[in-house]
Amino acid sequence: LDEDASKLPVQDITFLTFSQKNGNDRLLIVGKSADGKQARLWSKSWSTLTETEQQAGWVYYSENDAVKDTFPLLNQSNVMRYNGSILLFGGASQDTDSEKAVKPLGKLFQSQDYGITWQEHTEMTLDSRMTTSASEAEFITAALQDDKYIWVLVDGQLWRGRFNGVSFE
C-alpha cells in the first residue's frame, strides 16, 4: 500500500475490475471509513505482459488540492463500467457536516479517468420515483446487462434503465 492501511474502506465496500483502453487491467475498491464520514477509493493497475495482479501496488486516491472532484461520500456506493466511463451512484450520505456529502439520492457520477476525478453526470438521472423511495433505503445494488441496461434493486423495488446512446453504437 502507498498509504496507511487505516485508510482502507470498512463500510459499504464494493469493487470493480476492468481493462483499460491501453490493455492494462485495473481494480478499484471503494467504500467508507469506519466512522462513515470519509469516502475511500483505492486502485491498482497492471499490465499482464510485465507483471501479475499480485505484483501491482495499491494506490490510495486521497483528497488533495490537485484533484478538484474527488470520490463522493455515498451510502451503498455502486460502481460499474458503462458507456466508456465509470458510473457511480448510491444512497445519500448521512454525514451532513461534510462538504463532500451528497444530498439527496438521485445524482449519478461518472469518471472518465479511471476513478481519479468524479463529476455529476449531466445527461443521465435516476427516476424521481426511485429517488424518493431510495432516499432512506436500507439496500441499494445494481447490475449491468449486456453492457446496455442497468438494473437497480432498492429495498425490493426493481428498476431498469439505460443511456439511449448505447443502443445506437
Side-chain angles (χ1 to χ4, degrees):
L1 303 177
D2 78 337
E3 293 279 341
D4 183 348
S6 68
K7 295 183 180 177
L8 288 168
V10 295
Q11 292 186 46
D12 293 339
I13 299 170
T14 190
F15 69 95
L16 176 66
T17 60
F18 57 94
S19 295
Q20 298 174 186
K21 291 178 185 176
N22 65 5
N24 288 352
D25 291 315
R26 183 171 290 267
L27 173 61
L28 294 178
I29 295 181
V30 302
K32 296 189 303 187
S33 60
D35 63 6
K37 294 184 178 186
Q38 293 179 314
R40 299 284 197 235
L41 172 63
W42 288 80
S43 176
K44 69 176 175 175
S45 176
W46 66 96
S47 169
T48 55
L49 300 176
T50 59
E51 63 187 336
T52 66
E53 177 186 347
Q54 290 76 19
Q55 293 171 316
W58 285 99
V59 177
Y60 175 56
Y61 292 178
S62 62
E63 291 191 28
N64 60 59
D65 295 334
V67 179
K68 178 184 170 199
D69 298 314
T70 57
F71 186 72
L73 179 62
L74 296 171
N75 291 331
Q76 305 171 59
S77 293
N78 284 265
V79 289
M80 65 181 65
R81 289 286 289 165
Y82 189 72
N83 198 27
S85 65
I86 302 173
L87 273 187
L88 163 72
F89 66 94
S93 172
Q94 296 173 353
D95 180 17
T96 56
D97 296 334
S98 171
E99 61 186 59
K100 292 290 181 188
V102 175
K103 310 172 278 205
L105 175 82
K107 294 181 181 183
L108 283 146
F109 295 88
Q110 75 177 36
S111 176
Q112 301 280 357
D113 56 8
Y114 305 117
I116 297 171
T117 59
W118 296 88
Q119 294 86 31
E120 188 173 343
H121 203 291
T122 57
E123 299 174 21
M124 196 176 230
T125 60
L126 299 175
D127 185 285
S128 62
R129 294 170 295 165
M130 180 170 57
T131 60
T132 300
S133 65
S135 61
E136 299 295 325
E138 293 184 27
F139 181 78
I140 302 171
T141 193
L144 188 59
Q145 175 191 358
D146 300 329
D147 293 331
K148 293 181 182 174
Y149 291 99
I150 299 171
W151 290 84
V152 181
L153 181 62
V154 180
D155 282 350
Q157 295 180 16
L158 186 61
W159 299 84
R160 183 181 86 156
R162 71 170 185 200
F163 190 60
N164 285 336
V166 299
S167 294
F168 301 111
E169 294 178 0

